């Protein structure tokens, strides 16, 4: 493994002393972020880490974040032994954090929920777009269900559901509303789950099913969908069907998105609300 | 560090061979979960790990999960070098996963969203419960805002918002509806954020503010709240105020929770929907 020390003394600007520090950037909350990229000998790393924390302590820094790509797994033990805790991990990296001050730490909580979407799509013949999945709880059961999938981090709910429908069935569809959502717990280990039921309008009708995850896909008459025993037994499925009927009758208002701007960073985000009931907002904030 | 090998050969039941394996339990998806608890010499651990994976491969197991408490950080490198990836981490543990089969892995995605709540609480004088926070973006600005907080993993939205209001202001309040929600991205590193605006009914009125996070708390006339410049400038705040007005006028329907049962595990979860518009569901599924 090559040894490549990539020190930074950018924090030390007065020229009176030269301390080799880990390369770091300041965050917006008085802390520093170290993104390790190059392999390094653990002992050389430890020396830099100790010097860096000492320097940051003097400077009144608060949280110290260290991101270690999985290739640098040999440095994890060193970081933990200096008092860091795990914060979060993704397949290719581990993020650790250390709180320098004696005050209560204000380290942000880790992500706690996975977010899923389900799509209700009806054509003009009151047929619903449904699939049979190759894996999961309904594998091999012959149950027809609405297309579902997971929202990626950084992805809008209204975008994710369009993507999932296209991927699974080849159908182009437009997002209309969130009709309802379910919160469930312990969906994997201790993490929770939010599932958004979305109303969509089909823009194409020829199904091209995806082979990897989908056993079959078709348009099914609503009555035939509802006649499946599982729809009557399973609370969530029953609710989805009732929402579908209410939409067909035209008397159900869900939440639709409004693009709003943050004063802090000019970032746009979507605010989902019952826009039928607050039309004033719809006109002033629509993107 | 003490060495305590705690092997298990429970998976091997035919009695013809005795292989020392890591202690594991089967999961519901054809995989195994190893929860390491006792310290172990990394070389002894590696021997057991190799034997275990070999055995599980023969048995057709799919995902192998290894949970390492932070005290066993000295085993992380061994696990990664055997081909595992990180799956998720919390302050006190790291979860790693390895997919044995040659088929596409169906390892569940990690949690992608943090979930927050904000409480709109009005008393009979059209005054709103507001706070000034000691940290965060509005620290020292004098801005009065609604009480907000984070939903813990495993916690219902409707429970979290009651808890946060009580913690910050001492006010007892009843959850009524989700009026709207916002999805934002990159709220910390790459993770996203869902923020639910909740309508509450106060059950007590004497404020006992919490000292750690809250600078001040009071009931503020709605007009005075709305007159703050930030309310007019910031999209989210403006929306919250408009929803508040709509509720006062009595013409806004949000989503309220219905308790539904899963057919898979009898677990109850909450389904949030516009119950004013589907009264049939309200009667048949209410818990």
């Amino acid at each position: 493994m090559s040894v490549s020390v990539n020190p930074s003394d950018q924090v030390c600007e007065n020229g009176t002393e030269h301390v080799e520090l880990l390369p770091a950037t300041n965050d917006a909350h008085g802390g520093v972020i170290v993104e390790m990229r190059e392999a390094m000998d653990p002992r050389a790393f430890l020396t830099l880490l100790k010097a860096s924390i000492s320097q940051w302590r003097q400077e009144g820094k608060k949280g110290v974040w260290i991101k270690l790509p999985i290739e640098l797994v040999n440095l994890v033990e060193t970081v933990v032994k200096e008092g860091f805790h795990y914060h979060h991990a993704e397949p290719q990296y581990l993020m650790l954090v250390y709180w320098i001050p004696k005050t209560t730490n204000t380290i942000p909580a880790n992500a706690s929920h996975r977010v899923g979407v389900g799509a209700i799509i009806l054509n003009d013949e009151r047929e619903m777009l449904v699939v049979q999945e190759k894996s999961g709880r309904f594998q091999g059961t012959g149950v027809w269900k609405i297309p579902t999938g997971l929202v990626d981090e950084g992805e809008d709910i209204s975008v994710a559901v369009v993507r999932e429908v296209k991927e699974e069935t080849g159908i182009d569809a437009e997002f209309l509303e969130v009709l309802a959502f379910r919160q469930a717990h312990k969906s994997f280990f201790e993490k929770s789950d939010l599932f958004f039921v979305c109303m969509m309008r089909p823009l194409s009708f020829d199904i091209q099913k995806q082979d990897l995850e989908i056993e079959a896909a078709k348009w099914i008459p609503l009555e035939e969908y509802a006649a499946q025993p599982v729809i009557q037994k399973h609370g969530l499925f029953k609710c989805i069907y009732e929402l579908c009927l209410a939409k067909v009758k035209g008397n159900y208002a869900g939440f639709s998105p409004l693009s709003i701007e943050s004063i802090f960073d000019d970032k746009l985000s979507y605010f989902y609300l019952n826009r039928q009931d607050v039309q004033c907002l719809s006109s002033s904030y629509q993107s």
Side-chain angles (χ1 to χ4, degrees), chain A residues 180-193:
Chain A
F181 63 88
R182 184 203 55 180
Q183 189 190 23
H185 302 305
K186 303 209 172 193
S187 62
F188 69 105
F189 302 105
E190 297 303 311
K191 299 291 182 180
S192 299
D193 181 278

Side-chain angles (χ1 to χ4, degrees), chain A residues 224-242:
Chain A
E224 197 179 317
Y225 170 79
Q228 300 181 96
V230 70
I231 305 298
Q232 299 302 321
K233 275 191 221 147
H234 190 34
L236 180 62
F237 283 16
K238 166 99 172 159
C239 284
I240 288 173
Y241 175 62
E242 295 288 344

Side-chain angles (χ1 to χ4, degrees), chain A residues 28-149:
Chain A
H29 307 280
V32 292
I33 304 172
V34 177
E35 287 203 37
M36 294 297 294
R37 292 195 176 89
E38 303 290 331
M40 193 181 290
D41 174 76
R43 282 160 304 180
F45 175 71
L46 177 59
T47 304
L48 278 176
L49 180 59
K50 282 180 180 289
S52 301
I53 290 176
S54 168
Q55 174 76 26
W56 294 328
R57 190 186 304 276
Q58 282 179 41
E59 292 170 3
K61 295 293 181 193
K62 295 178 177 172
V64 177
W65 300 88
I66 297 186
K67 182 177 179 177
L68 291 178
I70 196 163
E71 295 76 23
L72 304 191
V73 64
N74 66 322
L75 302 181
V76 174
E77 188 173 356
T78 303
V79 176
V80 168
K81 287 189 170 166
E82 286 303 296
F84 283 68
H85 284 91
Y86 304 135
H87 186 269
H88 65 278
E90 292 296 327
Q92 297 299 328
Y93 75 85
L94 176 60
M95 183 71 85
L96 299 108
V97 67
Y98 177 68
W99 186 252
I100 294 182
K102 298 249 188 298
T103 57
T104 309
N105 91 52
T106 55
I107 294 166
N110 193 2
S112 54
H113 285 62
R114 194 164 58 174
V115 178
V117 284
I120 297 183
I121 308 186
L122 300 172
N123 66 18
D124 291 341
E125 281 83 49
R126 276 176 50 122
E127 292 172 327
M128 192 184 204
L129 183 63
V130 289
V131 298
Q132 289 181 357
E133 292 176 342
K134 283 193 174 171
S135 63
R137 283 172 161 156
F138 294 104
Q139 176 187 357
T141 60
V143 168
W144 292 103
K145 56 185 284 296
I146 62 172
T148 57

Side-chain angles (χ1 to χ4, degrees), chain A residues 1-5 38-42 44:
Chain A
M1 191 174 271
S2 72
V3 177
S4 161
V5 179
E38 303 290 331
M40 193 181 290
D41 174 76

